[in-house]
Amino acid sequence: HVQLQESGPTLVKPSGTLSLTCTVSADSLNTFHWNWVRQAPGKGLEWIGCLYDNAKTNYNPSLQSRVTISRDTSRDSFSLRLTSLTAADTAIYYCAREPRNSSDWELDSWGRGILVTVSS
Amino acid sequence: SSKLTQDPVVSVALGQTVRITCQGDSLRTYYASWYQQRPGQAPLLVAYGRNKRPSGIPDRLSGSFSGNTASLTIAGAQAEDEADYYCGSRDTSGNHLVFGAGTKLTVL
């Protein structure tokens, strides 16, 4: 059973930095691609970026200047860092898995999500 | 354009068939994936590629394509199918993932 678990602060200040971690099943970090997706309250899904199995990254052009996704193989986890926060970054943040052999960019397993609120 | 367009609201009578659509220029080149999201839950992949389904997804949910439009068809709609449905696909560059704004399905 695939498990992804998001963790991190749920309240961050405007102009601050959001740092989230997604813990995945042991030994799977190098065998899948890993994505972050967010959902503002009452809104739709927004792709943030992807960490490939070869450790390369790919970001949403609208967020690229503020986003970093990286991995920690020793902890079976990958992380999201988003800087210069505003209220518009308030959202549920999901981590999601993409099969390495995918050609359709399907996200076949998702974490439960973590609600992050940007407020002073 | 990298935009995927979905009808905001669709309704279906219990037991009937409904089609949820997703339009976009990138769909002439790339397949879409479909996600079901019930209130308070994470999205769930229900269809992708050329009519593929993850294990555990009933075959009354099926995906199809025509031109620039991807469709998710739900046959014999059940109360449990009431949810938001999102399509996702590559943008026209092929390098980024984009989602439609979602369709709220109501089962009457």
Side-chain angles (χ1 to χ4, degrees), chain B residues 37-53:
Chain B
Q37 187 178 35
R38 297 187 175 114
Q41 295 186 15
L44 173 71
L45 179 69
V46 296
Y48 64 101
R50 192 174 180 84
N51 196 17
K52 300 176 186 176
R53 274 183 308 275

Side-chain angles (χ1 to χ4, degrees), chain A residues 4-6 92-95 110-114, chain B residues 40-42:
Chain A
L4 294 82
Q5 180 67 57
E6 302 90 349
I92 298 173
Y93 286 77
Y94 296 99
C95 55
W110 295 63
R112 290 189 172 186
I114 182 170
Chain B
Q41 295 186 15

Side-chain angles (χ1 to χ4, degrees), chain B residues 3-20:
Chain B
K3 187 177 179 181
L4 299 178
T5 301
Q6 298 183 242
D7 292 327
V9 179
V10 172
S11 61
V12 60
L14 188 68
Q16 296 303 301
T17 296
V18 63
R19 177 174 292 182
I20 299 170

Side-chain angles (χ1 to χ4, degrees), chain A residues 1-115:
Chain A
H1 177 66
V2 178
Q3 287 190 333
L4 294 82
Q5 180 67 57
E6 302 90 349
S7 61
T10 57
L11 179 64
V12 290
K13 294 187 184 302
S15 77
T17 297
L18 175 158
S19 295
L20 297 177
T21 297
C22 180
T23 303
V24 305
S25 303
D27 300 326
S28 65
L29 209 59
N30 295 331
T31 57
F32 293 93
H33 306 318
W34 303 96
N35 291 255
W36 286 99
V37 177
R38 71 179 182 178
Q39 185 172 35
K43 302 297 184 182
L45 303 174
E46 180 181 27
W47 177 71
I48 298 171
C50 178
L51 172 70
Y52 295 108
D53 60 341
N54 62 5
K56 291 187 176 180
T57 54
N58 181 11
Y59 301 130
N60 185 325
S62 69
L63 298 170
Q64 183 160 1
S65 63
R66 300 194 290 133
V67 173
T68 304
I69 298 176
S70 58
R71 69 181 183 181
D72 184 347
T73 53
S74 65
R75 297 176 183 266
D76 293 319
S77 67
F78 66 105
S79 63
L80 169 69
R81 186 171 181 267
L82 184 65
T83 62
S84 304
L85 296 173
T86 70
D89 295 309
T90 294
I92 298 173
Y93 286 77
Y94 296 99
C95 55
R97 187 187 80 171
E98 175 194 357
R100 188 165 58 179
N101 62 351
S102 163
S103 59
D104 303 315
W105 211 322
E106 72 273 14
L107 304 179
D108 69 350
S109 186
W110 295 63
R112 290 189 172 186
I114 182 170
L115 174 61

